[in-house]
Amino acid sequence: MPFSGERIYWLNDDQARPEAAPQNLPAKVDVAVVGAGYTGLTAALHLARAGRNVVVFDAVAVGHGASSRNGGMVGPGLHKLGITGLVNTYGEARAIAILGEGLRALDHLQTFLEEERIECDLTLAGRFRGARTPAHYGASARECDWLRAKIGLPSYNVPKAEQRAEIGSDFYHGGVVYVRDGGVHPRKLLLALVDKAFEAGVRILAPCAVTGLRRGLGGTEVQTDQGVLNAREVVLATNGYSDRRSAVLNCRVVPIETGACAVGPLTPEQMAELTPKARMHGETGRIFMWYRPTPDGRSFIFGGRFGAGGASLAAREAAFRRSITRVFPQLADAPLSHVWSGQIAYTADHSPHLGQVDGVWLAGGYCGSGVTRAIYFGTKLARRMLGQSDSETAFDALPFNSVPFRPFAPWGAGMLVRWHQMKDNRDLRAARG
C-alpha cells in the first residue's frame, strides 16, 4: 500500500493526468474486467475489438497498482525456480517449453507495440546481471551456456576483468549479459493501452470497487460500490492487489511489497560511468536489487525488497542508500528524488498462470516479471475467451492451486525474506575474505 510521502517517478508531469471520464454503471455487459492495469486493459482491448461489450473496473484509479509502480524492465522473464529447479520439477522438455515461452512473450510485446504504434520508450539495450560471489559467477556462466544452447537465448559471460565495460563498479565478480532484455516507460505504456481501449469502445469505471461476485445461470452478478450489473463473463486481473473482494485470485497469490527509488538528476558523465552501454541491470542473490537508467538518461532507478512494510520514508531511504552504495559508492551523496512502493504477486509454484477457475477467468502471479508477461497473458486470455487459435501457453498444464495457509502467507513470506537476507549477507562476507 502507498506510504506517507511516497513520490513515484513515472507520475511526473503529464503522465499523472486523469484517464477515465465519469460514466454510469451499465445494467448488463458481456465481460466485466476487474483491474485496470496491463493485464485487464490488454484483455479488454482484444475482447472489445472482437465485438464484446466490455467494462473495466478499478477500485482506485487506472493503473494505480504495479502498472504505474514497476521498473519498466522487459525481457524473457526466465523463471524464479531457476533451471535446476525447473528441470527437477517438470523434466527438461517442459522446462525448455516454459523458458521458451518467455522469449515468445517478448516477441509478442515487440510486435504489439510496433503494430499498435505505441510510443513508450522501448529500448532493448540488454541487461547485465552481476555475480555477487565467484561461486555465483560460475553458476551464472553455466546457466547462460544452457539457455543459449537449449532455447537460443542470446547471452554471453563477462569475467570480472572485463566488467568495467558494462558497469561502473568493482563490486561484482563478473556477470552475464542478456542481449534481448530492455526497458520501457511503464506509465506511457499504460496510458497508450487506455487510449486504445477507449477507441475500441471499452468503458472504464475508476474509482469503482468490485465488492463481490455471485454466480448465476445467466452469468455473474457483479456487485460494486456504485451498484450491481450482470456480466456474462468476468476477468480478475488484480494480481498483487487482490484481496477478499477478488477471492478466487486472492487465495492463489501472495502479495509481496517491494520498493523503488530514483537517484538523480545525474550528469551525462555520471550516467556514462554507471552504465557505459545504457543497459538494464540486476544481480544474483536470494534478495536482489535491480536498477536501470531512466528513459531520458538523466537518473537511475533502483528497486527491490528494501525497507520493511510500514517503514517510514526515512527508513526506506536509508535502506536504499545502503544497497545502492554497496554497488556504487560514488552515489553516496547523490539525491534521491523519488521513493515509492508497490505490490507484486507470487504463486505457490513460482509460475504465472492464466485460465478459468470456478467460472471466473484469471491471469496473474507474475512473480516480479510482469510487464512483458501481463501484455502477453492478457492477449492469450482474451483469445481463449473468444475461442480463437493461438491461445495456448506452456503454463496451461500447470495447476493454479491455492496457496497453503493463505491467511498466514504474507507473514511467512516476510520471514522468508529476512532469512534469505541473512544468507545473502553470509555469502557476501565469505566472498570478501
Side-chain angles (χ1 to χ4, degrees):
M1 298 297 292
F3 61 91
S4 177
E6 80 166 6
R7 307 178 303 281
I8 302 175
Y9 177 84
W10 308 116
L11 297 186
N12 285 348
D13 304 326
D14 63 329
Q15 302 307 328
R17 66 176 173 84
E19 307 86 4
Q23 298 193 41
N24 295 325
L25 185 73
K28 187 176 181 179
V29 295
D30 294 326
V31 184
V33 178
V34 187
Y38 296 149
T39 305
L41 291 171
T42 303
L45 171 63
H46 288 280
L47 291 166
R49 285 178 173 174
R52 299 297 190 270
N53 181 10
V54 184
V55 62
V56 178
F57 296 93
D58 199 284
V60 182
V62 174
H64 170 75
S67 296
S68 292
R69 297 169 181 271
N70 67 82
M73 294 170 68
V74 301
L78 302 180
H79 198 283
K80 296 301 187 262
L81 287 178
I83 292 172
T84 301
L86 271 178
V87 172
N88 289 344
T89 303
Y90 302 114
E92 185 173 273
R94 182 171 288 183
I96 290 172
I98 289 172
L99 291 167
E101 198 74 45
L103 280 173
R104 289 187 286 276
L106 182 59
D107 290 340
H108 172 79
L109 176 65
Q110 281 187 269
T111 301
F112 176 74
L113 296 180
E114 291 169 3
E115 291 179 347
E116 298 292 337
R117 299 182 179 179
I118 291 176
E119 295 293 335
C120 58
D121 299 324
L122 172 68
T123 175
L124 294 179
R127 174 170 62 102
F128 174 75
R129 185 182 183 221
R132 286 180 173 182
T133 71
H136 287 180
Y137 177 72
S140 293
R142 292 189 295 272
E143 181 179 85
C144 174
D145 294 341
W146 192 94
L147 290 168
R148 191 167 52 247
K150 298 294 184 179
I151 68 169
L153 181 68
S155 57
Y156 57 88
N157 304 316
V158 179
K160 184 175 178 62
E162 300 174 14
Q163 76 179 21
R164 274 281 176 168
E166 300 291 342
I167 184 172
S169 173
D170 297 316
F171 175 76
Y172 298 114
H173 295 263
V176 172
V177 169
Y178 298 103
V179 176
R180 293 210 57 208
D181 281 51
V184 297
H185 189 303
R187 185 69 177 179
K188 288 183 179 180
L189 174 57
L190 177 85
L191 296 179
L193 288 173
V194 171
D195 290 340
K196 297 289 181 181
F198 281 151
E199 291 170 7
V202 174
R203 282 175 286 184
I204 299 176
L205 277 70
C208 182
V210 171
T211 57
L213 303 172
R214 182 180 298 170
R215 291 279 295 166
L217 294 178
T220 300
E221 180 184 86
V222 180
Q223 302 161 350
T224 81
D225 59 9
Q226 296 182 21
V228 177
L229 79 157
N230 291 304
R232 187 155 53 87
E233 296 181 284
V234 173
V235 174
L236 284 183
T238 46
N239 204 40
Y241 290 78
S242 303
D243 57 24
R244 58 178 178 77
R245 297 172 296 184
S246 47
V248 180
L249 184 56
N250 184 48
C251 70
R252 289 170 168 80
V253 299
V254 179
I256 295 178
E257 183 178 313
T258 66
C261 73
V263 177
L266 303 173
T267 66
E269 292 75 20
Q270 287 175 307
M271 295 295 294
E273 178 192 7
L274 297 176
T275 178
K277 298 176 182 176
R279 297 202 193 277
M280 309 294 112
H281 292 268
E283 60 182 9
T284 61
R286 301 168 184 87
I287 307 299
F288 55 86
M289 180 171 67
W290 54 262
Y291 42 106
R292 58 160 296 181
T294 55
D296 63 8
R298 299 183 60 208
S299 299
F300 239 87
I301 291 178
F302 295 82
R305 297 182 204 171
F306 304 112
S312 67
L313 175 61
R316 292 170 187 267
E317 290 183 346
F320 271 116
R321 187 74 72 179
R322 287 192 298 271
S323 295
I324 293 168
T325 55
R326 166 172 56 83
V327 179
F328 296 118
Q330 62 267 50
L331 294 181
D333 298 322
L336 269 63
S337 60
H338 300 77
V339 181
W340 70 98
S341 66
Q343 291 175 195
I344 59 176
Y346 263 74
T347 57
D349 60 0
H350 303 280
S351 290
H353 290 272
L354 75 165
Q356 192 175 36
V357 179
D358 296 337
V360 178
W361 294 97
L362 310 175
Y366 302 128
C367 302
S369 299
V371 179
T372 308
R373 286 173 171 173
I375 303 295
Y376 188 60
F377 273 42
T379 303
K380 291 287 188 179
L381 190 71
R383 287 175 178 166
R384 191 165 305 181
M385 295 172 67
L386 294 166
Q388 296 177 345
S389 61
D390 192 24
S391 65
E392 303 81 12
T393 77
F395 299 96
D396 294 347
L398 307 183
F400 197 2
N401 295 323
S402 298
V403 176
F405 308 106
R406 175 61 181 83
F408 305 100
W411 176 85
M415 293 293 292
L416 188 61
V417 166
R418 287 188 283 275
W419 171 247
H420 284 332
Q421 286 172 332
M422 290 174 58
K423 295 174 76 173
D424 281 341
N425 291 336
R426 178 201 63 191
D427 291 346
L428 289 173
R429 287 194 297 270
R432 288 197 296 265

